[in-house]
């Protein structure tokens, strides 16, 4: 996990996609709580931030495209959120695919985040982890918000972990304003740039996989990290079928802070 922002940071505007479950299981108080949480989250965005809305039930659709957070546009997305109704099944896979297609291209110097609000009971969960990891690799962390007393905490926590975001529960009447304020304050503060994971491996071992990131010459580029971000990586190492214990060497993480200082930290793999 990266430290909370101290010293030199890069302040960035944010692009946020809200993904709201409107399936039949969300009817009544659950959908009301999801709408309340989404509206609270929109209120935390600054004038240079942008928001979009994806809704899903049996299928998913872009209910409101990206607009900046001016007073007029904020009113429009508020209206889109309030107008959502509940019916149908829970095609969460399609919702994350639509969110991925709506995600603005990187390289604009803006922070990007996807926020999923659901009771976490999808029709089919087998591709969800892969999609969550895809958001992480695109530097658009996936945060999940559990809705209702019977939501699936294991699934939503797993997706947040895979997507390098955070997981929250939105219970009836809960005040989420301060939580979301902290969430977006951290998102706007970049504390590490050009983060690399390099295998300094010995004994014939080689870096075979790093949570879906591309590996070039034994190095995976992890991109930028922002204040307080948690990045969980699953590293696969190919080792020779040599009898006995092996010293595999080490893994090294290197990054540059916004003031231009290069930092490195190695983790020994021992035997």
């Amino acid at each position: 996990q990266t430290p909370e922002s101290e010293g030199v940071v890069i302040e960035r505007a944010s692009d946020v996609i809200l993904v709201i479950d409107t399936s039949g299981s969300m009817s009544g108080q659950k959908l009301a709580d999801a709408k309340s949480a989404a509206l609270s989250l929109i209120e935390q965005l600054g004038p240079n931030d942008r928001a979009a809305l994806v809704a899903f039930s049996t299928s998913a659709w872009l209910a409101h495209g990206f607009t900046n957070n001016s007073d007029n546009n904020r009113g429009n997305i508020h209206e889109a959120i309030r107008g959502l109704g509940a019916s149908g099944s829970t095609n969460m896979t399609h919702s994350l695919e639509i969110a991925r297609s709506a995600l603005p291209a990187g390289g604009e110097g803006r922070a990007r985040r996807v926020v999923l609000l659901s009771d976490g009971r999808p029709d089919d969960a087998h591709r969800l982890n892969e999609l969550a990891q895809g958001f992480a690799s695109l530097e658009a962390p996936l945060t999940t918000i559990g809705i209702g007393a019977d939501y699936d905490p294991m699934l939503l926590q797993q997706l947040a972990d895979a997507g390098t975001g955070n997981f929250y529960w939105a219970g009836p009447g809960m005040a989420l304003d301060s939580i979301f304020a902290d969430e977006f304050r951290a998102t706007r503060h970049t504390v590490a740039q050009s983060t690399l994971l390099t295998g300094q491996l010995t004994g014939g071992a080689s870096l075979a996989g790093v949570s879906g990131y591309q590996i070039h010459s034994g190095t995976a580029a992890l991109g930028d990290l922002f204040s307080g971000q948690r990045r969980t990586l699953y590293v696969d190492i190919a080792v020779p079928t040599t009898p006995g214990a092996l010293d595999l060497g080490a893994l090294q993480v290197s990054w540059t802070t916004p003031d231009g200082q290069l930092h490195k930290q190695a983790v020994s793999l021992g035997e």
Side-chain angles (χ1 to χ4, degrees):
Q1 179 168 333
T2 61
E4 296 299 326
S5 54
E6 297 178 358
V8 178
V9 297
I10 295 176
E11 185 82 18
R12 301 191 294 175
S14 296
D15 288 334
V16 180
I17 301 180
L18 298 176
V19 182
I20 300 182
D21 185 348
T22 62
S23 62
S25 66
M26 290 285 292
S27 62
Q29 187 62 48
K30 284 186 183 181
L31 187 56
D33 290 342
K35 291 180 179 181
S36 177
L39 293 170
S40 176
L41 189 148
I42 292 292
E43 288 303 311
Q44 305 306 318
L45 301 180
N48 295 321
D49 298 328
R50 301 185 299 204
L53 174 65
V54 171
F56 70 98
S57 56
T58 305
S59 61
W61 64 97
L62 184 64
H64 194 285
F66 272 104
T67 56
N68 62 40
N69 202 34
S70 66
D71 289 341
N72 183 57
N73 288 331
R74 187 185 299 123
N76 290 340
I77 198 167
H78 279 194
E79 183 178 350
I81 292 169
R82 292 192 178 104
L84 296 175
S87 65
S89 60
T90 311
N91 195 339
M92 190 180 290
T93 297
H94 193 207
S95 76
L96 296 184
E97 291 172 341
I98 292 293
R100 170 63 186 89
S101 65
L103 197 66
E108 299 180 15
R110 301 176 65 89
R112 304 186 298 171
R113 181 173 287 274
V114 179
V115 180
L116 170 67
L117 302 96
S118 173
D119 59 6
R121 300 187 178 281
D123 301 336
D124 185 353
H126 82 277
R127 288 192 58 232
L128 294 177
N129 209 56
E130 172 191 340
L131 289 166
Q133 290 176 345
F135 286 117
S137 67
L138 291 168
E139 299 299 326
L142 175 66
T143 282
T144 60
I145 300 175
I147 304 296
D150 60 343
Y151 73 99
D152 186 340
M154 291 184 64
L155 174 64
L156 294 181
Q157 181 69 70
Q158 179 184 18
L159 293 180
D161 287 343
T164 68
N166 297 310
F167 165 66
Y168 305 104
W169 176 56
M174 289 185 66
L176 299 172
D177 302 60
S178 61
I179 292 175
F180 290 150
D182 290 342
E183 175 92 351
F184 287 104
R185 176 192 57 79
T187 300
R188 295 186 184 101
H189 290 174
T190 299
V191 296
Q193 299 171 283
S194 302
T195 310
L196 302 175
L197 176 68
T198 302
Q200 298 179 331
L201 304 176
T202 59
S206 61
L207 197 60
V210 181
S211 294
Y213 287 91
Q214 294 293 320
I215 299 173
H216 299 286
S217 300
T219 296
L222 307 180
D224 295 346
L225 299 176
F226 56 79
S227 172
Q229 183 180 8
R230 182 178 63 244
R231 180 69 63 90
T232 301
L233 299 173
Y234 297 93
V235 178
D236 294 322
I237 298 174
V239 298
T241 57
T242 304
L246 289 175
D247 182 348
L248 299 179
L251 296 174
Q252 176 182 273
V253 177
S254 64
W255 67 96
T256 303
T257 51
D259 59 1
Q261 297 295 313
L262 177 64
H263 298 263
K264 298 180 179 180
Q265 183 171 337
V267 177
S268 175
L269 299 178
E271 293 187 352

